[in-house]
């Protein structure tokens, strides 16, 4: 690289850019710091002095009480983990299988089927008929009500199809000449070759399942079946938040640091996302770049 | 264009291998049987969960009775739509949905493009990486968590806002009783959650620009602001247009999760924060007005379909290669 003196316009631009980006990044980060620091602060202190960036009066009470009865949280974690694993594996397999067939250029009917699938994004019957159908299918208080709605997603199919159609057809052609069947070509050749796209779409699907609360709100009324996010939602919103936590523990009602427990629970719910964050972020950025190549 | 040439290549390859290709419907059926089986899950899935509910939209013209089902319930013609119209909510929720989406679109697009351009121009590699990671963070948390954050900022007892107001000696305010400010709160959190994702999309578009253009412009003495205006922005235009059109295509669709988690079931705020989706949901789940809820849903679907068709037809006229379908 040539060494050159930074020109004045570049200097001005950099000054503005660094300031703006730093500000935006801080705004993105501060709410999380607020929650974290609040959850580690003594409730009485918090009530008097309010939030700060660092816990001024350190206290683990909120976590101690939130985790005194870990059964319900662990249960919600279990539901969400199972849902995420099952949904991601199944959804990824089904979407990529569909995408594979839709990009086969020697499949003359591919456009009819593509239209059949893509049309569902243009028009829908709305929430009510779908809700009635789900109820009639026995989805009330059924884990399937949280699994099934996320299995297929048109945009995931489009991205996978675009990626797969970029794989040279000579590879599959030669396998075909060797006598491999269509399904074998998909499993043994296309899936391994689509690795990067599968990781990205898999993460998209996993994130959607991890953050799932909507279908739980519509169909799940038994608290032992709540996924993590819906559990948190109920804890924050329900007036009985205290009572659920109190069950089995001998604490007095008045002693509960209610607000900081909510904060601690939010931290507990966000935890895994933050732990996996570097990995998640890398593949999301890659995936968006893959997806937007076609536009 | 490239696809077409690839297809002809494939046909040629088929001929070269000398396989006998059966034509006709039955021939194709037997040749495609494995492929068709592989498509079966998707076909069945979309039939059950998308096409049956489309037929079920009939319920909008019926007085729904759980015991009798959709087909057994009596017809009431346009009664449900009349009810929706007379409730005075039709104009309110439709206007809210459009205005909110337009505000989100304008603010988010502007911010995301600005941040993307800045990120692409600043030098520091680590600064760039860290800033991008931090800005992407809100995208990964659920709206439930965002709801928790909003609650912790605005609740009267402990909220951050009242702390700050108190610090400056100002009066406490109960934001949850002040409908006027929620449009700003919603726009802010929409921007907050989407800035990382959106700026990565635009950054990808910027990375695709040929660097020679910048070098040439620099030699010609163009300063950085001119380069951005004359090279970066014009080169990003196709991406911007595609994303804006996609957003316009869903302008009648409110982000239910966002509105519901941030605003909740707070009746005081409905006039200023109710969008079609939250209204449909409430009519179905809270007030149990199933017929009207279905009517609202169908009304929304028809609006969505119409606007998609119109935008697509317009793009097709202007630039057929970027048409959505």
């Amino acid at each position: 690289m040539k060494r050159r003196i930074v020109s004045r316009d570049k200097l001005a631009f950099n000054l503005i850019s660094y300031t703006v980006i730093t500000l935006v990044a801080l705004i993105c980060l501060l709410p999380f710091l607020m929650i974290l620091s609040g959850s580690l602060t003594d409730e009485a202190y918090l009530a008097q002095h309010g939030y700060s960036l660092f816990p001024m009066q350190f206290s683990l009470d909120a976590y101690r009480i939130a985790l005194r009865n870990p059964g319900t949280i662990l249960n919600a974690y279990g539901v969400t983990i199972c849902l995420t694993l099952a949904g991601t594996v199944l959804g990824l397999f089904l979407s990529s299988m569909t995408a594979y067939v839709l990009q086969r250029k020697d499949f003359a009917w591919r456009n009819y089927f593509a239209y059949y699938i893509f049309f569902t994004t243009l028009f829908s019957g709305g929430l009510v008929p779908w809700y009635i159908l789900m109820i009639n299918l026995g989805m009330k208080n059924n884990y399937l009500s949280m699994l099934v709605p996320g299995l297929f997603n048109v945009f995931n199919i489009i991205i996978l199809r675009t990626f797969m159609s970029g794989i040279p057809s000579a590879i599959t052609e030669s396998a075909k000449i060797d006598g491999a069947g269509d399904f074998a070509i998909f499993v043994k050749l296309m899936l391994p070759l689509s690795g990067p796209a599968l990781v990205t779409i898999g993460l998209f699907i996993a994130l959607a399942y991890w953050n799932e609360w909507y279908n739980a709100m519509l169909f799940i009324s038994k608290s032992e079946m709540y996924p993590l996010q819906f559990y948190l939602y109920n804890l924050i919103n329900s007036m009985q938040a205290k009572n659920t936590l109190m069950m089995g523990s001998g604490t007095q009602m008045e002693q509960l640091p209610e607000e900081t427990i909510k904060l601690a629970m939010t931290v507990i719910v966000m935890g895994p996302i933050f732990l996996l964050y570097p990995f998640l972020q890398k593949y999301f950025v890659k995936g968006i770049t893959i997806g937007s190549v076609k536009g | 264009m490239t696809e077409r040439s690839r297809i002809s290549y494939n046909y040629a390859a088929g001929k070269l291998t000398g396989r006998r290709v059966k034509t006709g419907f039955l021939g194709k059926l037997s040749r495609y049987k494995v492929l068709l089986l592989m498509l079966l899950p998707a076909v069945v899935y979309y039939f059950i969960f998308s096409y049956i509910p489309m037929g079920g939209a009939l319920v909008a013209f019926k007085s729904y009775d759980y015991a009798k089902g959709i087909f057994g319930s009596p017809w009431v013609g346009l009664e449900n739509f009349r009810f929706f119209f007379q409730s005075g909510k039709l104009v309110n929720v439709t206007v809210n949905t459009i205005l909110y989406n337009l505000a989100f679109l304008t603010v988010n697009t502007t911010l995301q493009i600005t941040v993307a351009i800045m990120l692409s121009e600043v030098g520091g590699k680590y600064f760039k990486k860290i800033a991008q990671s931090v800005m992407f963070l809100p995208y990964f948390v659920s709206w439930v968590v965002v709801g928790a954050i909003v609650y912790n900022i605005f609740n009267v007892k402990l909220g951050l806002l009242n702390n700050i107001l108190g610090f400056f000696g100002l009066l406490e305010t109960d934001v949850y009783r002040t409908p006027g400010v929620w449009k700003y709160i919603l726009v802010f959190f929409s921007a907050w959650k989407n800035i990382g994702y959106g700026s990565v999309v635009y950054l990808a578009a910027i990375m695709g620009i040929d660097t020679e253009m910048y070098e040439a412009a620099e030699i010609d003495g163009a300063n950085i602001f001119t380069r951005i205006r004359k090279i970066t922005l014009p080169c990003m235009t196709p991406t911007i247009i595609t994303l804006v059109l996609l957003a316009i295509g869903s302008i009648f669709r409110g982000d239910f999760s966002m509105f519901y988690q941030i605003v909740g079931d707070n009746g005081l705020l409905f006039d200023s924060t109710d969008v079609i989706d939250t209204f449909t949901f409430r009519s179905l789940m809270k007030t149990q007005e199933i017929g009207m809820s279905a009517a609202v849903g169908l009304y929304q679907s028809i609006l969505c379909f119409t606007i998609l068709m119109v935008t697509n037809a317009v793009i097709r006229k202007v630039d057929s290669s970027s048409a959505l379908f």
Side-chain angles (χ1 to χ4, degrees):
Chain A
M1 276 262 320
K2 291 171 285 179
R3 272 180 74 96
R4 54 167 190 267
I5 303 151
V6 179
S7 54
R8 274 177 59 195
D9 57 296
K10 182 81 186 167
L11 200 69
F13 181 84
N14 274 349
L15 199 70
I16 302 170
S17 296
Y18 278 106
T19 318
V20 170
I21 291 175
T22 309
L23 265 177
V24 173
L26 274 181
I27 291 171
C28 286
L29 191 63
L30 284 179
F32 297 111
L33 285 181
M34 178 188 92
I35 299 270
L36 183 65
S37 129
S39 73
L40 292 167
T41 307
D42 183 65
E43 172 117 355
Y45 184 87
L46 194 69
Q48 218 169 14
H49 304 271
Y51 292 98
S52 54
L53 278 186
F54 298 98
M56 300 309 264
Q57 189 154 341
F58 190 79
S59 156
L60 280 173
D61 280 353
Y63 288 91
R64 211 170 285 139
I65 295 169
L67 294 172
R68 179 176 294 157
N69 226 6
T72 46
I73 308 164
L74 288 179
N75 194 48
Y77 253 107
V79 171
T80 292
I81 289 171
C82 291
L83 200 64
T84 306
L85 285 178
T88 308
V89 170
L90 212 57
L92 199 54
F93 179 74
L94 292 172
S95 315
S96 52
M97 189 163 76
T98 309
Y100 167 70
V101 181
L102 292 182
Q103 61 83 43
R104 278 276 298 253
K105 275 118 204 158
D106 55 340
F107 179 46
W109 300 338
R110 67 181 190 284
N111 285 334
Y112 301 116
F113 283 104
Y115 196 75
Y116 169 86
I117 290 171
F118 300 160
F119 181 76
T120 58
T121 57
L122 303 183
F123 191 79
S124 82
L127 174 67
V128 178
W130 179 77
Y131 179 78
I132 295 173
L133 172 87
M134 291 287 280
I135 295 291
N136 284 334
L137 289 173
M139 293 294 191
K140 191 88 200 163
N141 284 324
N142 186 334
Y143 287 117
L144 286 177
S145 66
M146 296 181 276
L147 181 75
V148 170
L151 279 183
F152 281 97
N153 176 311
V154 171
F155 295 99
N156 291 345
I157 295 176
I158 291 177
I159 292 176
L160 285 167
R161 186 182 71 156
T162 309
F163 187 88
M164 285 178 176
S165 63
I167 294 172
S169 52
I171 298 173
T172 49
E173 278 300 319
S174 64
K176 223 172 177 185
I177 294 165
D178 293 345
D182 291 320
F183 187 71
I185 292 176
F186 164 66
V187 174
K188 291 188 181 143
L189 276 174
M190 283 314 254
L191 281 186
L193 287 171
S194 314
L198 291 180
V199 172
T200 306
I201 299 296
L203 283 173
F204 272 109
I205 299 175
L207 186 69
Y209 277 110
W210 186 268
N211 283 340
E212 145 68 25
W213 62 275
Y214 177 66
N215 294 307
M217 183 174 67
L218 288 178
F219 300 111
I220 305 295
S221 58
K222 289 185 182 159
S223 62
E224 70 268 22
M225 293 175 77
Y226 286 173
L228 202 52
Q229 307 293 337
F230 193 55
Y231 173 78
L232 176 69
Y233 171 77
N234 273 291
L235 187 89
I236 293 170
N237 287 276
S238 78
M239 300 307 283
Q240 284 89 36
K242 276 189 216 167
N243 303 332
T244 22
L245 278 162
M246 292 298 303
M247 280 196 295
S249 71
T251 334
Q252 294 294 306
M253 286 260 182
E254 302 78 51
Q255 289 179 348
L256 273 185
E258 209 181 312
E259 296 299 324
T260 44
I261 289 180
K262 286 178 186 171
L263 293 171
M265 212 54 104
T266 311
V267 174
I268 293 169
V269 167
M270 286 192 297
I273 292 275
F274 279 63
L275 289 179
L276 292 174
Y277 188 64
F279 173 76
L280 283 174
Q281 198 245 352
K282 189 177 126 203
Y283 280 98
F284 265 80
V285 172
K286 250 188 204 163
I288 296 167
T289 318
I290 294 176
S292 62
V293 166
K294 195 161 182 219
Chain B
M1 319 142 263
T2 48
E3 197 185 3
R4 206 165 288 153
S5 62
R6 232 182 275 142
I7 293 169
S8 58
Y9 161 78
N10 258 333
Y11 284 141
K15 273 192 194 124
L16 283 176
T17 56
R19 248 182 302 136
R20 241 182 75 232
V21 178
K22 282 177 270 178
T23 47
F25 181 75
L26 286 177
K28 278 182 182 155
L29 199 65
S30 82
R31 195 148 41 92
Y32 293 153
K33 60 179 184 293
V34 178
L35 292 179
L36 290 172
L37 271 175
M38 289 168 79
L39 268 184
L40 194 65
V43 171
V44 171
Y45 180 91
Y46 281 108
F47 182 77
I48 295 177
F49 295 105
S50 295
Y51 286 95
I52 290 180
M54 281 183 209
L58 279 182
V59 73
F61 304 99
K62 296 205 163 196
S63 166
Y64 185 69
D65 182 343
Y66 269 110
K68 291 181 187 151
I70 291 182
F71 296 101
S73 298
W75 292 94
V76 289
L78 294 173
E79 193 64 19
N80 290 323
F81 290 90
R82 201 172 61 88
F83 193 60
F84 173 40
F85 191 72
Q86 283 178 346
S87 71
K89 293 294 279 184
L90 184 139
V91 176
N92 178 228
V93 292
T94 312
V95 168
N96 276 353
T97 311
I98 296 174
L99 289 182
Y100 272 113
N101 279 330
L102 283 179
F104 296 155
L105 177 62
T106 319
V107 172
N108 290 0
T109 308
T110 315
L111 270 177
Q112 288 162 5
I113 292 173
T114 311
V115 167
I117 290 176
M118 287 176 168
L119 276 177
S120 74
E121 294 282 348
V122 296
K125 196 179 151 207
Y126 289 103
F127 174 79
K128 217 159 145 174
K129 257 206 165 121
I130 293 170
Q132 209 182 9
S133 301
V134 171
M135 283 190 275
F136 215 157
L137 204 53
Y139 178 79
F140 289 89
V141 298
S142 69
W143 281 113
V144 176
V145 170
V146 180
I149 290 171
V150 172
Y151 170 81
N152 281 298
I153 295 177
F154 296 117
N155 87 67
V156 197
K157 210 170 85 188
L158 284 171
L160 181 68
L161 179 77
N162 279 327
N163 280 326
I164 297 171
L165 289 181
F167 182 78
F168 289 109
L170 294 166
L171 276 180
E172 257 188 12
T173 35
D174 188 352
V175 175
Y176 285 93
R177 290 170 175 279
T178 322
V181 298
W182 284 86
K183 43 182 178 290
Y184 305 109
I185 296 175
L186 285 160
V187 169
F188 176 83
F189 278 97
S190 171
W192 183 78
K193 199 157 190 307
N194 293 311
I195 187 139
Y197 187 94
S199 58
V200 170
V201 173
Y202 287 115
L203 197 57
I206 296 174
M207 291 304 159
I209 301 172
D210 192 351
T211 46
E212 274 179 30
M213 280 198 270
Y214 290 103
E215 282 156 20
E218 208 164 344
I219 290 164
D220 288 347
N223 74 19
I224 189 160
F225 299 100
T226 319
R227 292 203 298 271
I228 289 170
R229 220 177 46 237
K230 293 281 163 74
I231 301 172
T232 314
L233 281 174
C235 288
M236 289 171 82
T237 311
T239 311
I240 299 173
I241 290 178
T242 310
L243 292 176
V244 167
L245 286 173
L246 276 174
I248 290 188
S250 53
I251 200 155
F252 291 108
R253 197 159 282 158
D255 185 343
F256 176 81
S257 292
M258 168 181 182
F259 282 90
Y260 194 71
Q261 288 300 343
I262 290 184
V263 180
D265 285 320
N266 186 341
L268 277 175
L269 308 177
F270 284 161
D271 277 347
S272 53
T273 61
D274 226 4
V275 288
I276 302 177
D277 298 77
T278 47
F279 183 64
T280 315
F281 169 81
R282 227 176 35 250
S283 312
L284 173 68
M285 301 300 287
K286 308 275 161 166
T287 51
Q288 307 276 326
E289 295 159 301
I290 296 166
M292 187 188 67
S293 179
V296 183
L298 187 59
Y299 159 79
Q300 182 185 31
S301 288
I302 291 168
L303 285 180
C304 285
F305 185 72
T306 315
I307 189 112
L308 269 170
M309 287 300 147
V310 171
T311 30
N312 198 57
V314 171
I315 314 165
R316 224 169 242 273
K317 269 251 161 71
V318 179
D319 171 21
S320 62
S321 68
S322 46
L324 300 171
F325 46 86

